[in-house]
C-alpha cells in the first residue's frame, strides 16, 4: 500500500500553530477569574468574596450582604453560590488551591461533610478568639461546635431547632392531644392505626432523614441523662453499644414500627412523600428543622401546621436539639482581613440576626442573650429558653459523617429487619474510629 | 539504495521535456526539495496526546497514589500501605458491594443481550412496522439515566402506580415497598438498567444481521435445515463480531452502574444495593475518605479491565476454534 503523506511548507505550519497560540494567550490575559480572585481594593472600595450554597428562591445570606453594602459603601460583597450537593467539595478544592473566598458559609462542628472545624484543623480558618463580639455570639452549650483547642474559628448565624412539624388541624379533627410522654405517643399511634392512619411520616430510605428522627428520640433518652455524652465518647469513656439511652432510642424505633406509627412502606419513604402525607392528614407529624415549617404550611393550605417535639419518658426528661448549625468563617489567607471581620461583625447585630432568622424560619442567635422566641416557635419556647433543656444537634460534633450515616441507615435496617439494635450501635462505634 | 527517478535517468525524458540539458548517467541531478514537514509525523499528535495523558492517565495515577494514603481531601495525609485495599475485601459493606456489582453485571449482560438479540431478529426483515418499532425500542437509550430512574422510582413507590395497579386488579397482597425491600430492591434496579439499554444491543445486533447474506439462509432453508439449525450454523457464526462488541460493552456498563442505583435506592435499603461505583462516591465525596475511595476505584478499574479482556479473549478463541 502506498504511504501517501501530504507535505506543507514551514510557513503554513508556523502560522497554523502561532495564530491559535497568540489567541489563547490574548484571551487568558483578558479573562476575569471567577469566585475567590474577585477580591481586592480599587479606588478605596474593598471587594470581598462571600460564598454560600445556592437557594431556589431568595438567598437569605445575600439579603444581609446587600444591607451591609448599603451601610458600608467602602466594602462591596461579591456573592458566589454553589449548589448544596457540590458546595463542600468546591470549597475544599478552593481552600487547598489557595483561591477560596474571603468569607464563607459552612456547618458548625466537625461531624458533617462541610464541617468548619475540619478546615480549622488544616489551618484554613482565621482565629476569632480575641474578638469579644464573636465570643459573645456562641451559646455556652455549643462552644464545642465553634472552638478547637480553646480557639474560636467560626461564628453562628442562627439557631435551628429540630422539631416535629405537626398538622394541628388534623390532630384536632381526630380528637388527638399532642403527646407529652413516650407512652402518650404510643397510645396516639394505636388510635391512629385503628383508624387506618399513621402518626409519623418517616423518610426511611434517606439515612439523613431517618437519622434525624432517631436523634430527636435520643435527645431525651441519651442527653437528658448525660448532656456531656459526646465528650465522654470522644474521651473513650463510653460507647454507643454501652449506652442504655442509645439502645432505648433504637428500640423505640422498632416499637413504633410494630405499633404502625409510621406510614406504610416507610422503609422506602422519601422526602417528597412527607408534605403530601402531612397536608392530607394521613400522617400527623414529621421530623424536620423548624425552618421547614413555612414550606409545609404552604403545602397544607387551610390547615394549621405547628411545631412540637418527640416526647421523652416524662416531660421533665424531654429535650430538644436546637443547633447553631450554620456558621460563617473567614479564610485565614484573606488579603482583606479588616473588611472581612467588619462583615462578620455585622452578623452579630441583634436586628440583623433577628431578620435573618425570620427569613430562614430559625430562632435568632440573639435568643442566647435576649431569650425572645419567635411566635411560630412558641410551642417549644419553654425548652428554647432554658439552655439545660436544649442542646446542639449531637452529631455535629462527632468526628466524621459516617457515624450519623451508620445510625440513619441502621434505622432503615431495623424497619426491614436486616439488622438489630446491637449491630447498629456496633457499626456506629466502628465508624467513630474511622 | 534506490534512486528516485529523475529526468536524467528516465530514457527519453529530456527530449520529451524539451530540454537540452546534458547530464551524465553517473551524476543524476536531483530536484531541489523545499524544506517541508509532514502531517503524519508523530509530533503533530503531541498536543492531543499531552491532553489525554494529563486529563486521564495522570489523574488516574494521582488517584492511585492517594489509594495508599488516608487523605481526607484536604490537609496532610499519611501512607497506610495496603490498609485501604484490605478494607475493600474485609469490610462487610464493601464485600457486599463487590457481590452486588458482579450480580448486576452478570444479570445485565445476559438479559440485555438476550432481549436485544431477540428484538433484532424479530425486527430485522419483513415486518412493515419494523422501523417504527426499532425507534420505539431505542428511545430509552437516549434519555438521561437519572431522569429515567426517578420516573421508575415514582412507579415503584409504595403509593405509586405499580402498587395502585396491583390493588386495582385484586392483587393487593403483592403490594410492597419495592425499593425498600432488600429482597426486591436489586432486581428492581436490574429491571430499570436492562429496560433502558435493550435498544443499544438491538442496534448492534441489527448491524451484525445486516452482514448475514440472505442467500446463505435461503440456501440452508432449501437444503432442509430447520430454523434453529440455520440460526446456529449460519446466522450466529457470522454474527460473532457483533456478539463480542455487544457483550463487552454491556459488561463494562454493568460493572460501572451508578446512576440507577443512586437515584432508585441510594445503595439501600441498609446497603443492600451498594455497588463498587456507589461506594467510590460515598467514601470519597460523602465521607471524605479520599484514600479509601480511590482504593475502591482502583479495584473496580482492575475488575473491569480483567473481565473485559478475559471475555474478549474467550470470544476470540472460540472464533479461532470455529475456523
Amino acid at each position: 500500500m502506498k504511504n501517501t503523506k501530504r507535505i506543507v511548507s514551514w510557513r503554513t505550519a508556523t502560522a497554523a500553530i502561532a495564530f491559535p497560540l497568540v489567541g489563547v494567550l490574548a484571551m487568558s490575559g483578558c479573562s476575569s477569574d471567577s469566585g475567590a480572585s474577585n477580591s481586592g481594593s480599587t479606588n478605596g472600595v474593598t471587594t470581598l468574596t462571600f460564598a454560600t450554597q445556592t437557594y431556589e428562591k431568595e438567598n437569605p445570606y445575600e439579603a444581609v450582604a446587600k444591607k451591609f453594602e448599603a451601610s458600608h459603601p467602602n466594602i462591596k460583597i461579591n456573592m458566589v453560590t454553589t449548589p448544596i450537593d457540590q458546595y463542600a467539595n468546591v470549597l475544599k478544592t478552593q481552600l487547598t488551591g489557595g483561591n477560596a473566598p474571603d468569607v464563607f458559609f459552612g456547618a458548625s462542628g466537625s461531624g458533617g461533610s462541610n464541617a468548619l472545624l475540619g478546615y480549622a484543623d488544616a489551618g484554613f480558618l482565621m482565629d476569632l478568639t480575641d474578638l469579644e463580639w464573636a465570643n459573645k455570639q456562641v451559646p455556652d452549650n455549643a462552644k464545642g461546635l465553634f472552638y478547637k483547642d480553646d480557639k474560636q474559628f467560626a461564628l453562628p448565624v442562627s439557631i435551628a431547632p429540630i422539631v416535629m412539624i405537626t398538622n394541628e388541624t388534623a390532630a384536632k379533627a381526630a380528637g388527638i392531644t399532642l403527646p407529652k410522654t413516650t407512652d402518650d405517643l404510643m397510645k396516639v399511634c394505636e388510635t391512629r392505626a385503628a383508624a387506618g392512619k399513621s402518626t409519623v411520616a418517616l423518610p426511611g430510605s434517606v439515612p439523613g432523614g431517618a437519622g434525624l428522627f432517631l436523634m430527636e428520640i435520643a435527645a431525651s433518652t441519651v442527653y437528658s441523662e448525660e448532656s456531656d455524652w459526646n465528650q465522654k465518647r470522644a474521651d473513650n469513656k463510653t460507647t454507643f453499644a454501652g449506652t442504655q439511652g442509645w439502645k432505648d432510642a433504637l428500640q423505640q424505633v422498632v416499637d413504633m414500627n410494630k405499633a404502625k406509627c409510621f406510614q406504610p412502606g416507610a422503609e422506602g419513604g422519601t422526602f417528597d412523600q412527607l408534605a403530601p402525607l402531612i397536608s392530607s392528614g394521613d400522617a400527623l407529624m414529621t421530623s424536620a428543622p423548624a425552618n421547614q415549617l413555612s414550606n409545609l404550611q404552604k403545602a397544607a393550605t387551610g390547615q394549621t401546621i405547628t411545631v412540637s417535639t418527640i416526647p421523652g419518658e416524662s416531660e421533665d426528661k424531654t429535650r430538644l436539639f436546637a443547633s447553631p448549625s450554620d456558621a460563617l468563617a473567614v479564610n485565614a489567607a484573606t488579603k482583606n482581613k479588616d473588611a472581612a471581620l467588619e462583615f462578620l461583625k455585622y452578623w452579630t447585630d441583634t436586628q440583623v440576626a433577628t431578620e435573618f432568622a425570620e427569613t430562614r424560619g430559625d430562632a435568632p442567635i440573639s435568643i442566647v442573650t435576649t431569650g425572645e422566641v419567635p411566635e411560630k416557635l412558641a410551642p417549644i419556647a419553654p425548652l428554647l429558653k432554658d439552655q439545660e433543656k436544649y442542646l446542639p444537634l449531637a452529631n455535629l460534633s462527632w468526628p466524621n459523617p459516617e457515624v450519623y450515616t451508620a445510625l440513619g441507615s441502621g434505622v432503615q435496617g431495623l424497619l426491614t429487619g436486616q439488622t438489630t439494635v446491637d449491630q447498629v450501635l456496633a457499626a456506629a462505634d466502628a465508624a467513630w474510629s474511622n | 539504495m534506490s534512486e528516485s527517478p529523475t529526468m536524467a535517468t528516465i530514457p527519453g525524458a529530456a527530449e520529451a521535456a524539451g530540454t537540452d540539458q546534458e547530464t551524465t548517467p553517473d551524476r543524476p541531478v536531483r530536484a531541489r526539495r523545499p524544506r517541508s514537514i509532514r502531517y503524519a509525523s508523530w509530533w503533530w499528535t503531541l498536543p492531543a496526546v499531552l491532553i489525554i495523558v494529563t486529563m486521564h492517565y495522570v489523574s488516574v495515577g494521582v488517584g492511585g497514589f492517594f489509594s495508599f494514603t488516608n487523605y481526607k481531601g484536604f490537609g496532610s495525609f499519611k501512607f497506610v500501605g495496603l490498609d485501604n485495599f484490605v478494607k475493600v475485601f474485609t469490610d462487610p459493606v464493601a464485600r457486599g458491594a463487590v457481590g452486588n456489582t458482579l450480580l448486576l453485571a452478570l444479570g445485565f449482560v445476559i438479559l440485555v443481550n438476550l432481549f436485544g438479540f431477540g428484538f433484532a431478529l424479530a425486527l430485522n426483515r419483513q415486518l412493515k412496522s419494523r422501523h417504527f418499532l426499532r425507534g420505539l425500542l431505542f428511545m430509552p437509550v437516549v434519555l438521561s439515566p437519572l431522569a429515567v430512574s426517578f420516573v421508575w422510582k415514582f412507579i415503584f413507590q409504595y403509593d405509586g402506580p405499580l402498587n395502585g395497579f396491583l390493588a386495582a386488579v385484586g392483587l393487593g397482597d403483592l403490594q410492597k415497598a419495592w425499593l425498600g425491600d432488600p429482597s426486591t430492591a436489586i432486581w428492581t434496579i436490574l429491571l430499570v438498567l436492562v429496560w433502558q439499554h435493550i435498544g443499544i444491543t438491538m442496534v448492534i445486533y441489527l448491524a451484525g444481521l445486516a452482514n448475514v447474506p440472505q442467500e446463505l439462509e435461503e440456501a440452508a432453508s432449501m437444503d432442509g435445515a430447520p430454523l434453529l439449525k440455520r440460526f446456529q450454523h449460519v446466522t450466529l457464526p457470522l454474527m460473532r463480531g457483533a456478539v463480542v462488541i455487544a457483550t463487552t460493552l454491556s459488561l463494562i456498563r454493568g460493572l460501572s452502574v451508578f446512576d440507577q442505583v443512586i437515584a432508585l435506592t441510594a445503595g439501600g435499603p441498609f446497603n443492600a444495593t451498594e455497588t463498587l461505583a456507589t461506594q467510590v462516591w460515598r467514601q470519597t465525596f460523602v465521607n471524605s475518605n479520599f484514600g479509601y475511595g480511590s482504593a475502591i476505584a482502583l479495584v473496580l478499574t482492575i475488575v473491569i479491565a480483567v473481565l473485559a479482556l478475559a471475555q474478549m479473549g474467550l470470544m476470540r478463541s472460540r472464533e479461532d476454534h470455529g475456523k
Side-chain angles (χ1 to χ4, degrees), chain A residues 396-421:
Chain A
L396 290 179
S397 55
W398 292 349
N400 62 70
E402 289 178 70
V403 184
Y404 184 57
T405 305
L407 290 173
S409 64
V411 167
Q412 188 186 29
L414 289 172
L415 298 179
T416 59
Q418 288 170 268
T419 189
T420 63
V421 167

Side-chain angles (χ1 to χ4, degrees), chain A residues 346-362:
Chain A
Y346 186 73
W347 287 84
T348 62
D349 179 87
T350 304
Q351 191 178 350
V352 169
T354 304
E355 285 174 5
F356 174 76
E358 181 68 33
T359 53
R360 286 267 310 229
D362 288 338

